[in-house]
Amino acid sequence: MKVTDIINSKKATLSFEVFPPKTSDKFESISKAVGEIATLNPDFMSVTYGAGGGTSAYTVQISRDIKEKYGVTSVAHLSCISSTKADVAEKLKLLRGNGIENVLALRGDIPEGWQGNMEYKYASELVEEIKSFGGFCIGGACYPEGHPESPTLFSDIDNLKRKVDAGCDFLTTQMFYDNEVFYSFLAKVRDAGIYIPVIPGIMPVTNAKQIKRTMALSNSVLPTRFRRIVDRYGDNPAAMRQAGVAYATEQIIDLYANGLKAVHVYSMNNAQVAKAIKDNLSEIIA
């Protein structure tokens, strides 16, 4: 089933992101965690794609397993920065052959030491390629606080509009920790003529060590309220996990209450955290 059809058919959806293993020896443990999250019956699950395509085979395998073993709609990530057009065509054929209907199109990061030519420079070019291939529901990424490489939020939204015009069917945001930032971003996006679904992405911070990397990846800022939580509970793993889940749950409830129909949770393959959030929302998304 296509993501846009799922969102349109329900009053509220909850989905989770998982990531494939980097090496084959980790496949079994990660596959187990993914399976545990899939048994929570989310509305869909997205599967990330390693830099340079290093885990792309696992992305396809896990996406297929989510769909076939657990009956959950899957979204396969696909990045293009170090791919040729022939590479992308081959990967799209592989996804189609495995029954994957949804693709999240990403530029991706340049792999360390990469010396090749870049046939794709922007995600919009990948979106165009997928659109011309046909048959996929295409997602894209967006940054409520602006892409780290963009000089301003408004120039970033201009680039986002080009990506949407190229054929994106829905957008998923990077994580953020202040819902007002998201609401402001959404208003600017609508003013720019972008009317497709924008799915807020929420990452529960359950480990204080996550925070520095999280901030670098998302270009987001921790509000004072959440910093106090980290300062108080960061040295107590169990308490930090509980507080992080509670904070993320509160964000999600507020998003639903303000009319958002879909929320995507960056689970970090943590089935315990995913279950805690789903349980906290049991009556809200019923």
Side-chain angles (χ1 to χ4, degrees):
M1 193 170 183
K2 294 183 176 180
V3 166
T4 48
D5 292 335
I6 293 171
I7 294 172
N8 289 334
S9 67
K10 301 189 71 173
K11 67 175 185 179
T13 70
L14 183 70
S15 55
F16 294 105
E17 179 179 285
V18 295
F19 57 81
K22 292 182 179 179
T23 55
S24 59
D25 61 306
K26 302 292 184 184
F27 185 86
E28 186 174 343
S29 62
I30 286 183
S31 182
K32 181 176 182 293
V34 169
E36 289 172 355
I37 294 171
T39 58
L40 299 174
N41 196 31
D43 290 288
F44 63 89
M45 292 172 64
S46 69
V47 186
T48 64
Y49 183 95
T55 63
S56 60
Y58 295 133
T59 298
V60 175
Q61 185 174 349
I62 290 176
S63 297
R64 182 187 64 229
D65 287 349
I66 288 169
K67 178 178 179 289
E68 294 184 356
K69 287 186 179 180
Y70 304 103
V72 175
T73 295
S74 58
V75 181
H77 292 209
L78 178 61
S79 64
C80 64
I81 193 69
S82 60
S83 298
T84 65
K85 292 190 175 184
D87 292 335
V88 167
E90 189 62 34
K91 287 163 187 170
L92 291 174
K93 288 177 185 176
L94 184 61
L95 290 170
R96 176 179 283 175
N98 281 276
I100 308 303
E101 297 181 275
N102 304 283
V103 177
L104 188 70
L106 304 164
R107 186 199 68 173
D109 299 320
I110 301 174
E112 187 176 350
W114 175 255
Q115 298 294 326
N117 295 322
M118 294 182 186
E119 293 191 18
Y120 297 95
K121 292 184 179 180
Y122 306 105
S124 59
E125 296 170 337
L126 177 60
V127 172
E128 286 180 355
E129 199 78 14
I130 299 171
K131 192 73 173 179
S132 66
F133 192 87
F136 290 105
C137 179
I138 306 170
C142 57
Y143 289 72
E145 294 166 84
H147 192 283
E149 297 176 17
S150 184
T152 69
L153 178 59
F154 287 101
S155 64
D156 192 33
I157 292 174
D158 287 343
N159 290 329
L160 185 63
K161 181 67 163 60
R162 282 189 278 275
K163 186 158 56 177
V164 171
D165 290 345
C168 267
D169 298 298
F170 68 95
L171 298 167
T172 304
T173 77
Q174 267 287 5
M175 68 284 290
F176 56 90
Y177 296 94
D178 182 344
N179 283 9
E180 293 304 319
V181 169
F182 171 77
Y183 298 137
S184 176
F185 172 74
L186 185 61
K188 292 179 177 67
V189 161
R190 298 307 188 213
D191 286 345
I194 297 172
Y195 302 115
I196 63 175
V198 180
I199 305 174
I202 300 297
M203 177 181 279
V205 175
T206 58
N207 183 328
K209 292 180 181 178
Q210 285 178 266
I211 294 171
K212 186 174 181 181
R213 176 168 169 75
T214 296
M215 297 302 97
L217 285 173
S218 64
N219 199 35
S220 59
V221 176
L222 283 180
T224 300
R225 179 168 167 262
F226 191 74
R227 287 183 182 276
R228 291 194 184 107
I229 292 173
V230 176
D231 290 343
R232 178 67 178 85
Y233 302 113
D235 293 331
N236 182 333
M240 186 65 234
R241 181 170 59 250
Q242 188 174 53
V245 166
Y247 190 92
T249 300
E250 184 178 340
Q251 278 191 276
I252 294 168
I253 292 172
D254 179 75
L255 289 163
Y256 288 143
N258 278 278
L260 275 297
K261 293 185 64 177
V263 175
H264 193 57
V265 177
Y266 298 104
S267 75
M268 302 300 292
N269 289 5
N270 191 321
Q272 181 182 4
V273 169
K275 184 178 186 305
I277 288 176
K278 181 77 183 288
D279 288 347
N280 287 345
L281 301 168
S282 59
E283 296 303 318
I284 290 171
I285 60 175

